[in-house]
């Protein structure tokens, strides 16, 4: 697939978890670096430019959420968060934090590798292909090249997957997309994943976009954007 080895930075202070995650990733063909603190993670992200970060929530110095936020201020670098608590999930992939995906501990290392592969497969080519494309819906304007969303004159800050999800729905307006289809198209899953991720992102999008949200729930099926409010 990739011609040059992609490097994954594993950020986890528990040595046993860091080492088995690293072993599975190396076995899958990735280069692996590790960091045991948030501070070290930020240093490595700045210096080494990894392709993806596996980031534990609980770290001894700066917690994973803060690390994720700081990375997000600089870049769209893909981030897979690890958490021990299901309650943290909304926060992690939502509003301020903006991780690409998450796994709840304990997790199957094969699933971690599958998620890493999915995220990386989706990370770059499609975004580049959409360069300069723009989709509109009423007052809502989504600019793929700038990765910018506006309602009227007001810019709305979206997490990367919120942006991708909104784009996917707008780009297929009028069609109902099931949660599994959205997982596959936005997150790159080729297996039946946890569709709660989709619902959490839709909820966040609605909250951020308010009345300008074009997303309609089709009960028992999935989501769609109605074609009715199309602007030219
Ligand atoms: Ca930890």
């Amino acid at each position: 697939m990739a011609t040059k080895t992609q490097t994954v930075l594993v950020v986890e202070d528990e040595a046993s978890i860091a080492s088995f995650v690293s072993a599975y990733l190396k076995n899958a063909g990735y280069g692996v670096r590790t960091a045991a603190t948030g501070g070290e993670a930020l240093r490595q992200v700045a210096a080494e430019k990894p392709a993806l970060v596996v980031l534990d929530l609980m770290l001894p110095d700066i917690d994973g959420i803060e690390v994720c936020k700081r990375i997000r201020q600089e870049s769209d670098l893909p981030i897979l968060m690890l958490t021990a608590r299901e309650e943290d999930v909304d926060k992690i992939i939502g509003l301020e934090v903006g991780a690409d995906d998450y796994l709840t501990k304990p997790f199957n290392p094969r699933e971690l590798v599958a998620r890493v592969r999915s995220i990386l497969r989706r990370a770059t080519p499609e975004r580049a292909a959409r360069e300069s494309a723009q989709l509109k819906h009423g007052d809502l304007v989504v600019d793929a090249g700038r990765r910018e969303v506006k309602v009227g004159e007001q810019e709305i800050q979206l997490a990367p997957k919120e942006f991708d999800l909104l784009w996917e729905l707008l780009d297929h307006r009028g069609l109902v997309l099931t949660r599994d289809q959205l997982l596959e198209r936005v997150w790159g899953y080729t297996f039946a994943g946890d569709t709660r991720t989709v619902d959490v992102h839709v909820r966040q999008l609605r909250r951020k976009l308010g009345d300008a949200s074009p997303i309609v729930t089709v009960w028992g099926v999935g989501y769609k954007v109605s074609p009715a409010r199309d602007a030219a």
Side-chain angles (χ1 to χ4, degrees):
M1 191 182 80
T3 46
K4 89 185 213 307
T5 306
Q6 290 176 300
T7 300
V8 177
L9 174 63
V10 176
V11 186
E12 166 64 281
D13 58 314
E14 283 170 73
S16 59
I17 297 178
S19 81
F20 89 73
V21 165
S22 299
Y24 270 88
L25 287 169
K26 280 179 189 157
N27 200 36
Y30 295 105
V32 178
R33 304 188 63 93
T34 57
T37 66
E40 177 58 22
L42 290 168
R43 272 191 295 280
Q44 288 209 33
V45 165
E48 318 277 346
K49 305 255 184 298
L52 180 144
V53 181
V54 175
L55 179 58
D56 188 45
L57 186 76
M58 298 294 286
L59 296 168
D61 55 341
I62 313 169
D63 75 20
I65 284 181
E66 185 59 29
V67 172
C68 187
K69 283 186 196 170
R70 291 195 199 173
I71 293 172
R72 272 290 163 270
Q73 284 165 7
E74 306 288 323
S75 75
D76 276 349
L77 173 63
I79 298 170
L80 171 62
M81 295 253 336
L82 306 178
T83 173
R85 304 187 336 144
E86 189 69 27
E87 308 91 84
D88 292 324
V89 167
D90 279 27
K91 197 164 50 170
I92 289 171
I93 58 182
L95 180 64
E96 319 96 48
V97 184
D100 290 77
D101 202 354
Y102 69 93
L103 275 175
T104 310
K105 289 177 173 179
F107 53 85
N108 179 337
R110 286 175 216 280
E111 183 166 10
L112 181 134
V113 170
R115 299 268 179 116
V116 165
R117 201 174 273 136
S118 300
I119 296 170
L120 285 173
R121 195 169 51 226
R122 300 291 294 191
T124 40
E126 294 239 335
R127 283 180 190 178
R130 291 179 200 147
E131 202 177 348
S132 83
Q134 217 183 50
L135 293 175
K136 294 181 184 173
H137 194 275
D139 290 338
L140 178 68
V141 180
V142 183
D143 188 310
R146 298 161 188 254
R147 292 201 49 98
E148 190 179 84
V149 175
K150 282 185 170 177
V151 174
E153 288 303 304
Q154 192 195 353
E155 186 171 350
I156 311 286
Q157 299 293 335
L158 297 185
K161 287 300 175 211
E162 292 169 355
F163 185 96
D164 293 342
L165 177 63
L166 178 61
W167 182 274
E168 198 63 33
L169 286 165
L170 279 171
D171 199 30
H172 293 85
R173 69 186 77 193
L175 296 176
V176 181
L177 296 177
T178 66
R179 291 174 177 80
D180 283 332
Q181 283 172 325
L182 288 166
L183 271 181
E184 189 187 329
R185 290 170 190 213
V186 176
W187 282 266
Y189 290 1
T190 51
F191 51 91
D194 177 6
T195 57
R196 189 175 127 83
T197 300
V198 177
D199 297 327
V200 172
H201 279 77
V202 167
R203 204 184 313 144
Q204 294 285 5
L205 275 171
R206 284 181 168 145
R207 206 169 61 71
K208 290 184 182 181
L209 297 174
D211 290 343
S213 169
I215 303 171
V216 177
T217 303
V218 183
W219 293 105
V221 186
Y223 297 99
K224 71 168 186 176
V225 165
S226 108
R229 284 171 65 204
D230 267 6

